[in-house]
Amino acid sequence: MAQESAINALGQFQLTTGFGPVGRLIEFTNSNEMMLLAAAIITALFAMALRRRAVIPGRMQGLVEMSYEFVLQMVDDTIGPEGRRFFPFVFMLFAFVLVGNLLGLFPYFFAFTSHIAVTGALALFVFLLSTGVGFWYHGLGFFKFFSPPGVPGWLLPLLIPIEIVSFLSRPISLSVRLFANITAGHVMWEVFAGFMIMLVTSLGAVGVVAAIIPLGLNVALTALEFLVAFLQAYVFAVLTCLYLHDAIHLH
């Protein structure tokens, strides 16, 4: 039983009640706690960084300005000048996902981006927003999106259903990509950690030596997880920009 519990890799994703009796009353979970914490961290970070607004920025201000310029460049390159009106949304989406990914890497915290309900809600919001933008810019002409120019008429009965299915699958692929990458990384982390414990408890001094290998793998995996946390936030944001680009420019 001890060995089984040591490698219970999925136990870390279990939802628990947050905020005690009040949390039980309103069904407030540890995932909700982490989402509120992520929002608080982002707000506090910007409040502290922009409090002085120095000409020569300090470390905190420099980090915030670098993040701002990074996402702004992403929006300009992907959507174009018209995309600047959506910059606040893309930036906050990027920051929220990034902080959520990073929080899950620390002990006693919870990776809310490892739950498909959270990533699915974010992806569905992006999908509905980009679709609404498409109709806002083009009206019913947005349906031309499913009929690319230059395609022979005899191919349209085959191509249009494919384009519709591809379009409707966007929130699924967007949410599953983030959820699967964060979940897979945390599962591997837990498995290697549990394997170390099993070696030490079952083999004694020999197990301590043998545990060096999974320990080294876990250290390398930790560095990789920090990289994945950033990359997945970037991918989520850049795909959001691509969907908005399609809605505005129709291919």
Side-chain angles (χ1 to χ4, degrees), residues 140-206:
L140 294 179
F142 178 63
F143 288 110
K144 294 179 181 178
F145 177 78
F146 304 107
S147 176
V151 176
W154 62 271
L155 266 180
L156 290 179
L158 176 63
L159 182 62
I160 290 178
I162 295 175
E163 288 287 332
I164 292 175
V165 171
S166 176
F167 182 77
L168 294 178
S169 67
R170 284 180 170 184
I172 300 174
S173 61
L174 188 60
S175 60
V176 170
R177 181 182 291 105
L178 176 58
F179 149 77
N181 278 278
I182 300 302
T183 301
H186 282 69
V187 167
M188 291 178 63
W189 216 357
E190 187 77 14
V191 167
F192 284 128
F195 192 48
M196 284 188 294
I197 296 173
M198 290 174 58
L199 288 173
V200 173
T201 56
S202 61
L203 299 179
V206 177

Side-chain angles (χ1 to χ4, degrees), residues 12-69:
Q12 59 185 307
F13 306 115
Q14 183 177 358
L15 291 175
T16 58
T17 302
F19 287 173
V22 177
R24 284 194 294 272
L25 182 64
I26 61 175
E27 297 185 358
F28 196 85
T29 67
N30 52 343
S31 179
N32 301 127
E33 285 182 332
M34 291 298 103
M35 283 187 272
L36 284 180
L37 179 60
I41 289 174
I42 295 169
T43 303
L45 180 64
F46 274 78
M48 290 188 295
L50 302 179
R51 181 173 51 190
R52 296 182 180 179
R53 299 183 184 178
V55 177
I56 302 177
R59 293 179 182 177
M60 190 74 72
Q61 183 179 340
L63 175 63
V64 168
E65 290 182 357
M66 183 175 65
S67 303
Y68 181 96
E69 292 173 1

Side-chain angles (χ1 to χ4, degrees), residues 79-221:
I79 306 177
E82 304 92 338
R84 290 209 168 193
R85 66 179 62 188
F86 304 105
F87 167 75
F89 170 72
V90 176
F91 183 82
M92 292 311 299
L93 188 65
F94 170 78
F96 183 70
V97 173
L98 176 60
V99 174
N101 292 346
L102 292 175
L103 282 176
L105 299 179
F106 293 92
Y108 306 109
F109 285 84
F110 184 84
F112 60 80
T113 49
S114 66
H115 272 241
I116 190 66
V118 176
T119 61
L122 292 174
L124 182 60
F125 187 83
V126 169
F127 174 76
L128 293 176
L129 174 66
S130 59
T131 304
V133 168
F135 282 109
W136 179 37
Y137 269 82
H138 307 285
L140 294 179
F142 178 63
F143 288 110
K144 294 179 181 178
F145 177 78
F146 304 107
S147 176
V151 176
W154 62 271
L155 266 180
L156 290 179
L158 176 63
L159 182 62
I160 290 178
I162 295 175
E163 288 287 332
I164 292 175
V165 171
S166 176
F167 182 77
L168 294 178
S169 67
R170 284 180 170 184
I172 300 174
S173 61
L174 188 60
S175 60
V176 170
R177 181 182 291 105
L178 176 58
F179 149 77
N181 278 278
I182 300 302
T183 301
H186 282 69
V187 167
M188 291 178 63
W189 216 357
E190 187 77 14
V191 167
F192 284 128
F195 192 48
M196 284 188 294
I197 296 173
M198 290 174 58
L199 288 173
V200 173
T201 56
S202 61
L203 299 179
V206 177
V208 173
V209 177
I212 293 176
I213 296 176
L215 175 61
L217 292 173
N218 237 12
V219 171
L221 186 59

